[in-house]
Amino acid sequence: MIQMTLIQIDNYGPWTVTPKPRNESDLQILQAELFADVQKQFSTKKGLVFFTRFDNMLAITNGINEEDHLRIQRSIKNRYPITISMGVGAAETPHEAQRLATLALQNEGGAQSSDRKEILAIDSLADGKDNYVQVAHIDINSVTETLTDVESAFDTSFMVNKAQHYLMTKLIKKGALLFFIGGDNFMSPCNGLSEKEIEEILIEIDDEIGIGLKAGIGRGRNAEDAAYMADIGLENIRAGNNVDWTEVIEKGC
Amino acid sequence: MIQMTLIQIDNYGPWTVTPKPRNESDLQILQAELFADVQKQFSTKKGLVFFTRFDNMLAITNGINEEDHLRIQRSIKNRYPITISMGVGAAETPHEAQRLATLALQNEGGAQSSDRKEILAIDSLADGKDNYVQVAHIDINSVTETLTDVESAFDTSFMVNKAQHYLMTKLIKKGALLFFIGGDNFMSPCNGLSEKEIEEILIEIDDEIGIGLKAGIGRGRNAEDAAYMADIGLENIRAGNNVDWTEVIEKGC
Amino acid sequence: MIQMTLIQIDNYGPWTVTPKPRNESDLQILQAELFADVQKQFSTKKGLVFFTRFDNMLAITNGINEEDHLRIQRSIKNRYPITISMGVGAAETPHEAQRLATLALQNEGGAQSSDRKEILAIDSLADGKDNYVQVAHIDINSVTETLTDVESAFDTSFMVNKAQHYLMTKLIKKGALLFFIGGDNFMSPCNGLSEKEIEEILIEIDDEIGIGLKAGIGRGRNAEDAAYMADIGLENIRAGNNVDWTEVIEKGC
Amino acid sequence: MIQMTLIQIDNYGPWTVTPKPRNESDLQILQAELFADVQKQFSTKKGLVFFTRFDNMLAITNGINEEDHLRIQRSIKNRYPITISMGVGAAETPHEAQRLATLALQNEGGAQSSDRKEILAIDSLADGKDNYVQVAHIDINSVTETLTDVESAFDTSFMVNKAQHYLMTKLIKKGALLFFIGGDNFMSPCNGLSEKEIEEILIEIDDEIGIGLKAGIGRGRNAEDAAYMADIGLENIRAGNNVDWTEVIEKGC
């Protein structure tokens, strides 16, 4: 089972404009530092956080228990002008896990409720031996040569966003998730998806919008191990020049 | 004229996997902290940085000169394991400005060239009185009630990404740019676009995918002032409950 | 037993002036962020780091094992322009623990050796049930009323430094350590010292330089618990207006 | 004239223990990150901040005006759970400048007053051509060989603190200040002191406690330039092996 945590800033929208709109640069710094901070804390326990919408972040948190979550919440309260609430859920698919996590938190009150503050709502935690994470690390073939070094920075960013949109659209139907992790890289928590299914999605996208993608798949007991194995898979493809779709999926572990 | 800066990590891709893939969480922290850091530095001079792809960031930098840019590069070199190069361009439209900035940098060598390091390539800078920035701050109508509090976190994030993709697709054709800035918020540097044109894009998107958007537009001599006026515009709409498309565009200054 | 870790930036001095002196402000930022960062990482395992000399930091690390240390070293390498080496020692007194930690690291090469890099030198680790930390949280009586609000900022800082110097001088002879932790606060890892001995030191200092001090003492299996109990002790004294030396020492646990 | 700013966290002491003592590690992180943050912001205008007591920081701020100070205050409010007040003073000596800065702020209310919040109290600012900063960068001769690599980490730190205490004691009488800046390094804002006077202090300390020190002196229109010239001076001495006291003072500019 994969365990996912939703991290939500409490009542953030109203705060950003009270008493008048706060400097956009300050908000951008706050959001990025908060993400870096929770990432740092979850990662010491081998979790992995995705910035998602920044005010709502999703994390793979297998192996991380209730006390660990409470500790992170307290630490944020002590160092930021805002507080965070969290929901946690474990399920067979990543989509279901984050849905349970979201539901648990929504049941405690709305994101902009001034009553709800620093809630930790646990629907379910993955048990020791049930911990299982599968992620695919996906990137764009030869992005430097075909985009970064020849197109304008925004046009490249547009193509990366286009790839993201198509990946999200297709993966969500399979119970998988997809997060942009910088550059031309995406990470998809995808427990339950076969290599064949992922390969088919990549081929479809190449056919539909002409963006060639490759994926390394990794599996482990926690996010860190799974992500590392996915990286190794991707490196193996890169070493082999990723010319052949049958090689596109490299099994990490 | 709007002045834009492309900030690019030198030879980053190879570094992330040398000698073997670095921990994904460390890379996420590095990227977010680097963004927060350059944001902090550009913002003291009233610039505004967008995280874009993290390894490639775009910034509105009117009023920020060559020495300021060099200083930021040096500061990053002194505190990070990587260095950054920058390209700067000024033009009538944001798209052209970032294109010139990108070209200037590309002419100095590729993003993954090990020879190119800490380059500052200036195509052009906006002159004192030519400085002019127009941005639109766009968000989704009632996102908390219709998405955050009722849909799963990932489904909401998917809808936000969908809105982004449609906005990017339409704005890029008009010479404007579009950046996700967290939550359900987007910022579009859009010198030269009329309120009518922006309104039409928002209406089209509502028609096509059923996502209602609103926009505050702000103008100023620098990014900070323009963004603030756009925020004020958006607040005015929020106060009026944004029911009517004719009210969607509020003129910031 | 108390376990202590010495964290030392590798070959830092030469780096700060190569090829020419780096901006002092950049070095100050680097040092403070590095301290905050290792603090954040050690604290998720209930350790506590003291900034000490910034390029050499000492930490109480009971309960933190070899893998945890390696992980922190790797994380720093991935995000900073410098690397860190560490030595670890466990002993009955804090002074002996940090001495063993230092020796272990010194045996691997000098602080400015370009050969020595990212060493983890473990002399000894405290065993599960042997883990025992005693710390005293010491502050200056009525510092706001007698110093901060009436003396110049530097004169107050001079008095605080004077208190520190006298505390260090006396505690080091007892095998205890003393760190400045901001404001008018000091923390003394002091396994083996009796309340009476600490009280005597405080009385001596009041006699010699006229600075009244009070101390809360805490004990626990790790630095976090011990420090918390010491805080509770100090709060109890504050609540009682700390008029009487016999009340100066409040037993935390 | 040298311009100095006192940066004081508003009502910090009570906050750290309300409703109960906050985690010491969180406070340490908060303090270090706040210092790094204001350093980053002041340094973009060539100022230099000393951590001093962390809850009270002193900065050399020649060339930094009222708006710049207000901007930094606002930025901190937007990203931290605490706010800061500031006092600013300019005078012929650093000690007098910080005294005026402190007085201006004290006049607005106490450091632990819950009424006083985000005050900017300006006694005086240095005028354009009056800006003049002299600093001495002082370090311990051969600290790596005689201390770091042979003594225990705490014993070395004790010696560094001892040097600091003696330096502070002597410099304060001359209207100069002294801050520890990490490693074995100190920086002394010392407008008005001659090279001879500084040399005499260093010789006295060597005589009294056997700690050999050397100093590079730098002068400039702002803190950054002066500190850089002091570094250059110190490097020149290091290159010459600092054997002779007559060489101890190297004139930076």
Side-chain angles (χ1 to χ4, degrees), chain B residues 37 40 43-44 46 71 224, chain D residues 37 40 43-44 71 224:
Chain B
D37 206 318
K40 216 173 275 186
S43 74
T44 65
K46 307 202 175 180
R71 187 181 182 78
E224 182 171 300
Chain D
D37 206 319
K40 217 175 274 187
S43 74
T44 66
R71 186 180 183 78
E224 182 171 301

Side-chain angles (χ1 to χ4, degrees), chain C residues 30-45:
Chain C
L30 175 68
Q31 292 171 184
E33 292 189 336
L34 180 67
F35 166 54
D37 205 319
V38 297
Q39 183 75 269
K40 216 174 273 185
Q41 294 188 66
F42 275 110
S43 74
T44 64
K45 312 268 168 159

Side-chain angles (χ1 to χ4, degrees), chain B residues 33 37 40-41 43-47 67-68 71 74-75 79-80 224, chain D residues 33 37 40-41 43-47 67-68 71 74-75 79-80 224:
Chain B
E33 292 189 337
D37 206 318
K40 216 173 275 186
Q41 295 190 66
S43 74
T44 65
K45 314 268 169 161
K46 307 202 175 180
E67 193 202 333
D68 297 329
R71 187 181 182 78
R74 188 187 56 191
S75 166
R79 296 184 291 102
Y80 288 84
E224 182 171 300
Chain D
E33 291 189 336
D37 206 319
K40 217 175 274 187
Q41 294 189 66
S43 74
T44 66
K45 315 267 171 162
K46 307 201 174 179
E67 192 202 333
D68 296 329
R71 186 180 183 78
R74 188 187 57 190
S75 167
R79 297 183 291 103
Y80 287 84
E224 182 171 301

Side-chain angles (χ1 to χ4, degrees), chain D residues 19-40:
Chain D
K20 55 179 187 168
R22 293 174 195 259
N23 235 21
E24 190 55 50
S25 53
D26 285 340
L27 299 177
Q28 293 300 306
I29 296 166
L30 175 68
Q31 293 171 184
E33 291 189 336
L34 180 67
F35 165 54
D37 206 319
V38 297
Q39 183 75 270
K40 217 175 274 187

Side-chain angles (χ1 to χ4, degrees), chain A residues 37 40 43-44 46 71 224, chain C residues 37 40 43-44 71 224:
Chain A
D37 205 321
K40 217 173 275 186
S43 74
T44 64
K46 308 201 175 180
R71 186 180 183 80
E224 182 170 299
Chain C
D37 205 319
K40 216 174 273 185
S43 74
T44 64
R71 186 181 183 79
E224 182 171 300

Side-chain angles (χ1 to χ4, degrees), chain B residues 2 60 92-95 132-138 171 174-177 187-194 197-198 216-219:
Chain B
I2 186 168
I60 305 175
E92 292 301 322
T93 70
H95 192 276
Y132 182 70
V133 179
Q134 177 181 299
V135 298
H137 186 154
I138 301 168
L171 285 163
K174 305 270 189 181
L177 310 178
M187 193 161 287
S188 171
C190 57
N191 285 37
L193 247 69
S194 69
E197 286 175 295
I198 295 171
I217 302 181
R219 300 170 184 109

Side-chain angles (χ1 to χ4, degrees), chain D residues 206-225:
Chain D
D206 197 17
D207 287 347
E208 292 171 21
I209 57 172
I211 297 179
L213 299 164
K214 59 183 169 301
I217 301 182
R219 302 171 181 107
R221 293 257 174 248
N222 56 61
E224 182 171 301
D225 292 351

Side-chain angles (χ1 to χ4, degrees), chain C residues 39-159:
Chain C
Q39 183 75 269
K40 216 174 273 185
Q41 294 188 66
F42 275 110
S43 74
T44 64
K45 312 268 168 159
K46 307 200 173 179
L48 186 59
V49 186
F50 303 100
F51 65 80
T52 322
R53 297 199 288 144
F54 286 104
D55 60 349
N56 283 267
M57 298 178 267
L58 284 165
I60 306 175
T61 56
N62 291 71
I64 301 179
N65 63 23
E66 181 176 5
E67 191 202 335
D68 297 328
H69 281 83
L70 287 170
R71 186 181 183 79
I72 293 172
Q73 287 184 303
R74 189 186 57 192
S75 167
I76 296 304
K77 176 190 62 192
N78 282 341
R79 296 182 293 101
Y80 288 84
I82 48 79
T83 56
I84 54 176
S85 286
M86 299 187 187
V88 190
E92 292 303 322
T93 71
H95 193 277
E96 180 63 9
Q98 62 86 35
R99 198 184 68 83
L100 294 173
T102 309
L103 259 178
L105 184 53
Q106 285 168 342
N107 285 339
E108 299 289 333
Q112 295 197 356
S113 154
S114 53
D115 294 337
R116 201 209 68 187
K117 203 179 155 177
E118 274 201 295
I119 293 295
L120 175 58
I122 299 181
D123 172 271
S124 41
L125 295 166
D127 238 347
K129 56 189 175 185
D130 285 341
N131 283 300
Y132 180 70
V133 179
Q134 177 180 302
V135 298
H137 185 155
I138 301 168
D139 75 6
I140 298 178
N141 295 333
S142 312
V143 72
T144 305
E145 297 73 18
T146 62
L147 290 169
T148 310
D149 282 354
V150 293
E151 299 293 336
S152 80
F154 188 76
D155 289 1
T156 297
S157 139
F158 174 69
M159 291 304 278

